Amino acid sequence: PARRRGHAITVQEVEEDWYATFSHPMEKGHYLRFAAWAGLDRMMLCRLYPEQGGEFRLPQLRGGGKLYVCCSRDGLFEVTP
């Protein structure tokens, strides 16, 4: 799992997607804003909302890339699947 200042995200490969679960507050004042899979020439963005459940799913892009998550309070950080 990825950890940064109390953030815990677990990422699994499911079929051809990244399936992530997290135990992060999803309140109006503190929540994960989005998750993004950034590849060499494109990216996929998954918008997250307050009061949403603690999971998201993003397709894997060919050629590799990196997964990022943005916290409304603590900013952007990289998640290692």
Side-chain angles (χ1 to χ4, degrees):
R3 295 192 180 275
R4 178 181 176 202
R5 294 185 216 147
H7 299 81
I9 300 173
T10 302
V11 182
Q12 301 174 36
E13 192 172 341
V14 176
E15 296 169 359
E16 293 187 23
D17 292 344
W18 292 119
Y19 175 70
T21 56
F22 56 89
S23 59
H24 185 282
M26 291 300 280
E27 303 159 353
K28 290 182 182 179
H30 184 204
Y31 65 101
L32 294 180
R33 293 180 183 268
F34 65 85
W37 178 256
L40 297 174
D41 61 348
R42 66 187 77 185
M43 81 180 241
M44 295 292 291
L45 182 74
C46 179
R47 179 84 164 107
L48 304 171
Y49 297 93
E51 300 174 12
Q52 170 180 332
E55 64 184 17
F56 63 88
R57 193 168 173 156
L58 284 169
Q60 294 180 25
L61 299 176
R62 292 185 184 157
K66 295 185 179 189
L67 179 62
Y68 297 92
V69 177
C70 182
C71 174
S72 63
R73 187 176 68 189
D74 299 313
L76 187 70
F77 60 96
E78 183 179 343
V79 176
T80 306

